[in-house]
Amino acid sequence: MTTITRRGLAAVGLTAALLAPAVPAAAAPTTTGRAVAEVGRLVLEPSARGYQGTLPITVTNDTAQPVSHVLVTEPVAGSWRGTLANEFCTVVVPKQFVRTYDCAVPVAAGQSYTFSARFEVLTRTRPYPMYTRGGQVAVQVGYDAPVTTVTPFRTLFRSTSGSLAGARPYRQDRTADASLTVGEARLTRQEDGRWAGWLPVTIRYGGDAPHNDLYVAASLPDGMDIPGTDPASEVPTFAGGFLVPGGEFMAGEQRVVRVSLTAPADADPGVLGTGTFASEVVYEGGPVDDRFPADNVVSFPVTLLDGV
C-alpha cells in the first residue's frame, strides 16, 4: 500500500471541496461533459481479524481535461487499507476521525479507469448484519477546478452466518479503552558490569475506536534505559518509552510485550526505585481520549539482584 500523510494547504482545500454539498459545480470553460465515479455497495466480510472487503470504483471521464484527483472517503474511521494495485494515495486532513484519501489515477479525457479500494474494520464480528453510511467517492477534473461529482456508497457488514438481511446500524467507539498490567522488573548483573532484565507488559485494547498506534511512555529511575522490546518495536526505543509492536489493535485484543530494561553498573543491589508506564492511543498524529484513564498507568519497583 502506498499511503503518505499530508498536511498542506492543498489538502485542506481538497477536504473543504469534498465536504461541500454534493451539487455539481460549474464546469471549466474547456470541459464538455462530466467525470463521474460508479461504485456499488461495499460488503465487508467477517474474518479472523474483524471485517474486510474491497470496493470497485470506475471513473469515467467525459470531459476534455484529465481527471486530477479521485477522493475516497472511508465509511468507517481508520478502515482504509489502500488499493489493490497500490495506486498512489495520500491522506488529507481528517474530519471527525473519518479520513479522505486523494488517489492519483490516470483517467485521460474520454477514458475510463477501474481500481479497487480495500477496507478493514477492526471490530468484533457479530451474528447479525450491520450497515453504515458516509463513504463516498469524489472526482475532480483539472488541477484548479472544484470537485465535479460526489458519489456516496453504502457499507454492509455480513453476519457471521452469512446474512445481509435486516442489517442494524454499526456504531464505532469514539473513545479508546486501553489498559496496562506489568510483571516484576528484576535486573541481574551482566558480564560488562551493568544490570539488565526483561519486564513483561500486557496491553489490552477493549473497544474499536480508530487508532494508528499505541505508545507507552516511561518514567524510570535515573540511569535506566529501554534498549528494546520482544517482539521488536517498529521504531527505536529509548528511556522515555516505546511504541507497542504489531500496529493497530483488534477490538478486545491483548498483547504481551517483554521490555528490556538496563541500569548503570555503579548502581547498588536492592530496590533501585519505582518505574511508571503510561499508555497513549494515537490517531493521525494526535491523542485519543480514553474511557478509563486510571488503568492506563501502572507503577512497578525495580530490583537489582546480585549473584542470581
Side-chain angles (χ1 to χ4, degrees), residues 160-172:
T160 51
S161 62
S163 174
L164 290 174
R168 309 178 190 179
Y170 167 67
R171 294 181 176 87
Q172 185 180 32

Side-chain angles (χ1 to χ4, degrees), residues 260-284:
S260 176
L261 298 175
T262 61
D266 60 359
D268 295 327
V271 177
L272 180 62
T274 300
T276 300
F277 284 162
S279 66
E280 182 180 85
V281 178
V282 179
Y283 181 63
E284 290 302 314

Side-chain angles (χ1 to χ4, degrees), residues 11-206:
V12 176
L14 285 173
T15 304
L18 177 60
L19 296 173
V23 177
T30 56
T31 301
T32 59
R34 292 205 316 159
V36 297
E38 295 180 14
V39 298
R41 64 184 184 182
L42 171 63
V43 177
L44 297 171
E45 305 287 345
S47 71
R49 189 171 167 82
Y51 293 85
Q52 301 175 357
T54 59
L55 177 71
I57 302 169
T58 298
V59 179
T60 301
N61 184 10
D62 290 330
T63 78
Q65 301 181 70
V67 166
S68 58
H69 299 280
V70 177
L71 304 162
V72 183
T73 299
E74 58 186 3
V76 176
S79 62
W80 172 268
R81 293 295 181 270
T83 64
L84 290 182
N86 288 330
E87 281 81 5
F88 184 80
C89 300
T90 60
V91 63
V92 299
V93 179
K95 183 176 179 62
Q96 297 180 341
F97 289 101
V98 175
R99 302 170 299 185
T100 294
Y101 281 82
D102 179 358
C103 295
V105 295
V107 192
Q111 301 295 313
S112 294
Y113 183 85
T114 298
F115 67 105
S116 294
R118 299 185 298 119
F119 299 94
E120 179 182 57
V121 180
L122 298 177
T123 191
R124 61 181 178 85
T125 56
R126 272 75 154 183
Y128 52 85
M130 298 182 292
Y131 73 89
T132 188
R133 296 183 175 89
Q136 60 184 35
V137 181
V139 180
Q140 180 176 340
V141 175
Y143 291 94
D144 298 321
V147 170
T148 60
T149 60
V150 176
T151 304
F153 61 87
R154 190 175 189 227
T155 300
L156 289 172
F157 298 70
R158 193 182 298 277
S159 75
T160 51
S161 62
S163 174
L164 290 174
R168 309 178 190 179
Y170 167 67
R171 294 181 176 87
Q172 185 180 32
D173 292 334
R174 291 302 178 95
T175 55
D177 184 15
S179 63
L180 294 178
T181 56
V182 296
E184 297 184 44
R186 305 174 64 179
L187 282 59
T188 58
R189 183 80 72 176
Q190 307 299 299
E191 292 183 358
D192 61 2
R194 68 190 178 93
W195 303 85
W198 293 93
L199 173 64
V201 180
T202 300
I203 305 101
R204 186 177 186 278
Y205 199 74

